[in-house]
């Protein structure tokens, strides 16, 4: 393997900086990808700062990868050198349990292997993510990309895209449904685009009033400032489904009050502290609080193909890798429009 370089966190407190490392040689079913773009997910920030307590350092974050295939092993059938390939949040799983056989590798009974800060199943090394020049991955965990889409704007589909597409499909967000999206960030703006595209009456719930016009442009039928009690009251008891993408700790009651009887709020945001729940807000309308995590490999490919057919990509601000620490700070200030994507040519 050619040497790898990227940006890494060396501990929970220091900024990310340049880091040289090596990747293992590819197996016959694996491809080597020269990374072109990598999206910046809020999970990268949570992980780099060890907010979930599972960090491993040095950590090269990044799990929204798009690149060009540099080499394909002799048993690879889906890709050849020169093709575009994309990789998301997981890069391996046991491949034989019930969820894996169903194509729901993210629910693997033995635990799926994350793109970074996880133990590689082949040689036990620690996986290093996409804030780097290359990646080695089994073709099962890599996706093809529709040719009509802008590659920088495709990268965020690999996490923000599938994490919102999957629950919106699972809970049948579509025509005749009133759907709320909490948070207009990386995940939120993709949720908004998908819910709108699926035909739901889509309401953007935001704490940032200045994002109102953007939300409308991105497909919101209505925008509600979630801190405005009177505005929230007007929508009480009217939502079939709410997708909560907020990255910071927040109360669930204001959103539960928006649900219809038997409505569901699905949490995909993973704040450092979990929410406490007022049971009365739940039992008085038989409401459900659910969770959802990325999606399996077939559904991720389905989502990419859907995006190709419907010309859906992320709204991106492309940055050189040297600006990653500033991007993290802006993400914390809710100042992302609406996904940072690293242009990996900046590594050279
Ligand atoms: P992001 O781009 O930083 O967006 C998060 C948005 O949350 C903000 O822009 C803001 O939107 C909203 N927000 C922040 N604080 C809030 C608060 N106190 N109350 C209500 N809303 C608040 O982050 P992201 O990349 O979309 O990620 C969002 C979360 O999802 C993160 O916790 C991430 O780790 C998690 N995640 C989960 C999965 C999964 O599989 N479940 C996958 C990827 C990411 P407004 O300004 O519009 O209020
Ligand atoms: Zn992510
Ligand atoms: Zn499995």
């Amino acid at each position: 393997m050619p040497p790898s370089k990227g940006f890494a966190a060396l501990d929970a407190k220091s900024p990310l900086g340049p880091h040289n490392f090596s990747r293992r040689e590819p197996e016959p079913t694996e491809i080597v990808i020269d990374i072109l773009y990598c999206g910046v997910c809020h999970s990268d920030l949570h992980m780099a700062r060890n907010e979930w307590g599972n960090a491993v350092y040095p950590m090269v974050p990044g799990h929204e990868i798009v690149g060009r295939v540099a080499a394909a092993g002799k048993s690879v059938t889906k890709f050849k050198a020169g093709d575009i390939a994309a990789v998301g949040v997981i890069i391996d799983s046991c491949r034989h349990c019930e969820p894996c056989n169903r194509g729901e590798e993210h629910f693997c009974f033995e635990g799926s292997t994350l793109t970074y800060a996880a133990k590689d199943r082949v040689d036990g090394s620690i996986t290093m993510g996409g804030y780097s020049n290359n990646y080695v991955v089994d073709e099962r965990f890599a996706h093809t990309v529709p040719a009509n889409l802008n590659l920088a704007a495709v990268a965020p589909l690999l996490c923000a895209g599938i994490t919102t597409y999957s629950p919106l499909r699972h809970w049948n967000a579509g025509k005749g449904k009133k759907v709320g999206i909490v948070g207009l960030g990386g995940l939120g703006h993709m949720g908004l685009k998908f819910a709108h595209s699926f035909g739901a009456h889509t309401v953007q719930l935001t704490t940032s009033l200045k994002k109102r016009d953007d939300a409308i442009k991105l497909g919101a039928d209505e925008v509600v400032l979630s801190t405005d009690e009177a505005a929230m009251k007007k929508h009480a008891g009217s939502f079939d489904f709410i997708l909560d993408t907020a990255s910071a700790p927040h109360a669930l009651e204001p959103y539960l009050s928006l649900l219809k009887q038997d409505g569901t709020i699905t949490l995909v945001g993973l704040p450092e502290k979990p929410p406490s729940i007022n049971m009365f807000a739940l039992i008085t309308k038989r409401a459900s609080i659910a969770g959802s995590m990325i999606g399996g490999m077939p559904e991720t490919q389905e989502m990419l193909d859907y995006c190709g057919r419907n010309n859906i990509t992320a709204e991106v601000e492309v940055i050189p890798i040297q600006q990653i620490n500033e991007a993290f700070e802006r993400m914390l200030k809710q100042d992302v429009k609406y996904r940072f994507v690293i242009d990996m040519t900046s590594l050279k």
Side-chain angles (χ1 to χ4, degrees), residues 93-100 105 107-111 121:
S93 66
C94 85
R95 308 186 201 184
H96 55 67
C97 72
E98 214 181 292
C100 283
E105 298 89 344
F107 299 138
C108 175
F109 289 155
E110 296 179 18
R121 282 180 145 83

Side-chain angles (χ1 to χ4, degrees), residues 30 89-115 119-122 137-138 140-141 293 296-298:
E30 291 184 327
V89 176
I90 62 173
I91 51 112
D92 209 351
S93 66
C94 85
R95 308 186 201 184
H96 55 67
C97 72
E98 214 181 292
C100 283
N101 285 335
R102 276 201 306 270
E104 294 190 307
E105 298 89 344
H106 54 313
F107 299 138
C108 175
F109 289 155
E110 296 179 18
S112 50
T113 306
L114 298 176
T115 307
K119 198 168 163 192
D120 186 286
R121 282 180 145 83
V122 176
V137 65
D138 191 281
R140 174 175 176 156
F141 294 86
M293 178 183 124
M297 297 307 105

Side-chain angles (χ1 to χ4, degrees), residues 41-44 63-64 89 159-160 163 187 339:
C41 180
H42 206 113
S43 300
D44 299 341
H63 57 210
E64 293 185 335
V89 176
C159 176
T163 302
L187 266 58
R339 192 59 135 192

